[in-house]
Every structure is written in C-alpha cells, then in structure tokens.
Amino acid sequence: MRILHSQNFDPLGTHTGDSIVIAPSQTLSDDEYHMLRSAAIKIVRHVGVVGECNVQYALNPNKREYMVIEMNARLSRSSALASKATGYPLAYTAAKIALGHTLPELPNAVTKTTTACFEPSLDYIVTKIPKWDLAKFQYVNREVGSSMKSVGEVMAIGRTFEESLQKAIRQVDPRWTGFEAYVQPEDLEHALSVPTDMRLFAIAHAMLNLDWTVDRIHDLTKIDRWYLYKLDNIVQVHKNLLSHTSISQVDENTMRKAKQMGFGDRQIADLIARDGGEPTLEDSVRAHRKSLGITPFVKRIDTLAAEYPANTNYLYTTYNASTHDIEFNDQGTMVLGSGVYRIGSSVEFDWCAVSAARKVREMGKKTVMINYNPETVSTDFDEADRLYFEELGWERVMDIYELEGAEGVIVSVGGKLIRPCYSPESATDKVSLQQVNFLRTSLFDSRRPEFKFLVPTPR
C-alpha cells in the first residue's frame, strides 16, 4: 500500500535531500499517479520487501515515460518526513510487520479510528526545505547535485502551496521573512540554470525586482510552471503590500489575502516600511490584524482528509479555514523545540525538549510541543498531548499561546534558536511584554555556585 507520494520542486539531477519537496505531488495527472503507484507495488513484491521502503522515479513531463532512480528498503530521512507528513507511524508499523503481524489487525496508533491497512489521504500541503550550512565554510562549492550536502530539513504545513512554502522559508532561517530576494546574483541566468542552496531566492530576485516571466524562468530552471505560477501569486501580493505606506491603509481583504498566502506579520511590516513607508513594527501589524478579526485556525493532520472522524494530536495553523478542529480546554504547558538540525545544534537540544515534556507529563500536566523538524523525537505522535508542526517565531508562538490559554512556556530547552528570541533578560523581549508565564528557575538560583561554569580567572 502507498503511504505518501511526494514531488521534488527541482528537476532530475538534484538529490532529494537537497531539493524542496512537496507532498502530496501537485502536478501529476491521475493516470501518471496510478502508473507510478502500480510500478512501486510491483517492485516491492518482486524484491520481496517486508516492511517499509521508498521508490524514487524520474518522470518525463512530456510523455508517459518514467525511470526508477532508486529503491530503498530501509527507514531514512525521507521515511521520517513521510511519517510526520501523513500521521502514519511507518517505523512502528514496519516493526510490527517484521514480527509477523498483518496490516488489517494493526490499529493505526495515530488516528485511533482506523487500521494500519488504510492509505493516507491529505487535505493539506506539506513543504520540506533542506537546511544547508555551507556558509560556514569559506571555499565550499554551493552548487547542489546528486550528492547530498544538507545537514537537516524543515517541514511546514498549510492549505495552499504558497502558505506552506513561506512558512518553510522562515523555519529554515529565522532571519528570513518569506519569499524575498535575499541574493541578487550578477549572472542571474547562471544562478537560475545551476542549482544551489540559494536558487529559490535568485528566482525571487528575478520575479520581484526584474519582472522576469514564468516562461523565462522555467526555460532556465526546468522547474514545473505550476510551482512558478504559485510563486508569482506571492509576488503579486508582495507588490500590493509595497503600495501601502502605513499599516492603517491595509484593509481586511488585503490582510486576509496576505495571510492566506503565507505572509508573516514581520514580513508585512518590512514591506510597508520599505521604499519610504511608515516605520512599522511586527506587533503593530499583529494588533491591526487582530482588530480586523483575522486570526489563524488550528487544524489536524488527520490522515483521512476528514472522510472519517480522527482523534489525532498532530496540529498545524492556517488562515485558509473557517473553523478549528479542536477545543482549547486543556491549558497545557508549552515546550518550544529546537527547530532544524544544523552544525553546532543537533539532537542534544531535542533530547532536552523531550525530557522537559516527559517530566511535565509525569507531574500530571498536559503538554503542548511546538517544533517543525520531522527528524526529531519531539515531533513523534506520542511525546506530547498536543504537537504543533509550526514555526518558532514570536508571531506563531503567541498565536498558539493565546489559543491554548497555556499555563506557561518552557523556552530554556530549545537551544541556540530559541533562547536569543525569548530570553526574559533580553533587551528586545517582546514576549514578556505580553505577560507570558515563563517557567524557569529564578535568576538568583541560576547564579548559585553549583550552577556556574568553571571559567579561568584572567590575569
């Protein structure tokens, strides 16, 4: 049975681990989809795989032709992404099958209402973007190809590709606000025709600053026009926001459209202030947005596309909805995860977040985990009472905090990504201005001798 069909944003030649990946696939016809699905099942049966595997194809967009690139009869980084994207516990189910169980007799541990013999059906879009740390090396070649260079990945969920993509961009690097021209290469044609870790932003430069057409960019990148037209949708809203010189000029329709396209409050503030507009703060955009009655809705990753009732704790927020899927009556304790893996910040910080959540649950309290890294234990379905696959920026954390009516927030276990943003001692501490209840040791306790680092006395 098929669990997930995903599609690379980049054409053949870029390793899946170094490509933006979208699930479910967006540009396949029904005939193409069933052709590849049938081929995968035949391959698995021929090889005799018992458990989990993935099959990767190269599909000719111009005719009914495909090639099998590889078949991996193992759990990999792609397996974790597929499991977290669908809410289907691949590793758990594969282990049970290896022990002799059959799919019809195994309950789906996530949905709790179906058996494991049930193909997931999604009513949302997942976008995976790799995390590279190539900038840490002075002479590194930033081109990407068939050999993977990324050190981690993020997973974002939305109801549209535009919403999902812009979320993922912010997750990769908190300095980025969305689909913006963060690079402006002199030889743009070369930057578009040769894949690098920054090609997405070279496309943004071509669209936002030079008004290049979708066809021209497609001819150089070979990226499917469907995705490029979706990027152009973001560009049109981007230009509309640039035409406003103060936040008060942004009406309800414009604000709602921007949020549905994945624009963050900080991104909107930057666009209004750009080109001589009124200096605008992120919290000013937030206040104006809330005054217009525009707030996100919480939806489930329910695997069943709402075809059957599902009781899952996998959650995400979206502006492309009209109702919440859950009730907010737990007043749980929020734990902020450590985000994407990168050089210098890896599994050790996720261990801290998981340990904190487990201790809170041992105390008999409900837990709310926020993280967006599909490779981590903190995003496993059974590690928290509620798991939000969401951004860890101020805007989204405050949205969830207010919706949940959380008892408090643990920020000290999130590592290098979280502490600079939310430290109560920070000079730019926006969260404490909102009377957020930080759960932490007091400043006095943290300065006790047994907690000090041993630092040599300078001479």
Side-chain angles (χ1 to χ4, degrees), residues 176-325:
W176 297 339
T177 60
F179 185 63
E180 299 279 350
Y182 292 112
V183 295
Q184 300 181 14
E186 293 182 3
D187 189 351
L188 185 55
E189 289 195 355
H190 177 79
L192 293 177
S193 59
V194 179
T196 67
D197 60 323
M198 300 295 282
R199 181 162 73 162
L200 179 65
F201 303 121
I203 295 173
H205 174 54
M207 286 184 158
L208 290 168
N209 300 333
L210 304 179
D211 293 324
W212 282 26
T213 65
V214 164
D215 286 337
R216 185 176 181 182
I217 296 172
H218 167 76
D219 290 341
L220 292 167
T221 63
K222 305 306 179 185
I223 295 170
D224 195 286
R225 288 183 178 84
W226 188 91
Y227 292 113
L228 296 177
Y229 277 117
K230 293 298 181 180
L231 295 180
D232 187 62
N233 290 341
I234 297 175
V235 169
Q236 299 311 313
V237 175
H238 185 285
K239 292 180 177 179
N240 185 14
L241 289 170
L242 275 176
S243 67
H244 297 76
T245 57
S246 70
I247 187 61
S248 60
Q249 295 177 357
V250 180
D251 59 22
E252 180 181 350
N253 290 335
T254 301
M255 179 66 78
R256 191 177 301 279
K257 181 70 172 179
K259 301 306 289 185
Q260 290 176 339
M261 286 285 172
F263 283 78
D265 289 347
R266 182 160 64 97
Q267 186 179 10
I268 294 171
D270 290 345
L271 290 173
I272 289 174
R274 198 177 298 178
D275 298 334
E278 181 180 292
T280 306
L281 298 174
E282 179 182 5
D283 50 353
S284 299
V285 176
R286 179 181 182 83
H288 181 64
R289 169 171 60 80
K290 293 174 70 175
S291 72
L292 297 174
I294 301 173
T295 55
F297 293 94
V298 176
K299 310 299 287 185
R300 294 183 193 271
I301 303 177
D302 68 3
T303 301
L304 313 175
E307 186 176 357
Y308 298 99
N311 182 29
T312 67
N313 62 346
Y314 271 116
L315 306 171
Y316 67 99
T317 66
T318 180
Y319 286 88
N320 292 282
S322 56
T323 59
H324 295 294
D325 280 355

Side-chain angles (χ1 to χ4, degrees), residues 439-457:
L439 301 179
R440 61 192 179 100
T441 56
S442 68
L443 189 62
F444 173 80
D445 288 340
S446 65
R447 290 179 177 176
R448 287 164 55 188
E450 58 265 40
F451 295 120
K452 284 187 176 181
F453 291 103
L454 298 177
V455 181
T457 303

Side-chain angles (χ1 to χ4, degrees), residues 131 135 169-170 172-178 182 266 270 417:
K131 169 65 177 180
I169 291 172
R170 291 189 289 270
V172 171
D173 193 323
R175 296 172 300 175
W176 297 339
T177 60
Y182 292 112
R266 182 160 64 97
D270 290 345
L417 172 70

Side-chain angles (χ1 to χ4, degrees), residues 420-435:
C421 301
Y422 297 99
S423 170
E425 287 79 30
S426 171
T428 58
D429 175 28
K430 293 184 288 188
V431 175
S432 65
L433 296 177
Q434 306 293 322
Q435 284 79 48

Side-chain angles (χ1 to χ4, degrees), residues 4 6-7 9 19-24 26 81 85 122 124-130 153-169 171-172 200 226-227 231 372 374 389:
L4 179 70
S6 58
Q7 182 176 18
F9 178 82
S19 176
I20 298 172
V21 175
I22 297 91
Q26 299 297 302
L81 176 70
L122 313 184
Y124 50 85
I125 294 180
V126 170
T127 300
K128 181 270 288 188
I129 297 183
E153 62 190 25
V154 305
M155 186 183 106
I157 308 170
R159 286 294 182 94
T160 65
F161 172 69
E162 298 92 333
E163 181 181 46
S164 181
L165 176 74
Q166 295 221 83
K167 274 187 178 184
I169 291 172
Q171 291 171 356
V172 171
L200 179 65
W226 188 91
Y227 292 113
L231 295 180
Y372 50 76
F389 253 101

Side-chain angles (χ1 to χ4, degrees), residues 88-154:
Y88 191 97
L90 273 174
Y92 168 86
T93 305
K96 289 289 188 179
I97 291 173
L99 292 172
H101 295 275
T102 61
L103 288 173
E105 71 183 66
L106 290 174
N108 187 315
V110 177
T111 64
K112 299 181 176 62
T113 59
T114 62
T115 69
C117 190
F118 193 103
E119 292 195 355
S121 179
L122 313 184
D123 60 355
Y124 50 85
I125 294 180
V126 170
T127 300
K128 181 270 288 188
I129 297 183
K131 169 65 177 180
W132 296 274
D133 262 350
L134 302 180
K136 291 183 181 292
F137 305 99
Q138 186 174 3
Y139 300 110
V140 69
N141 180 2
R142 304 191 74 143
E143 295 179 5
V144 296
S146 59
S147 179
M148 188 175 70
K149 294 181 178 180
S150 63
V151 297
E153 62 190 25
V154 305

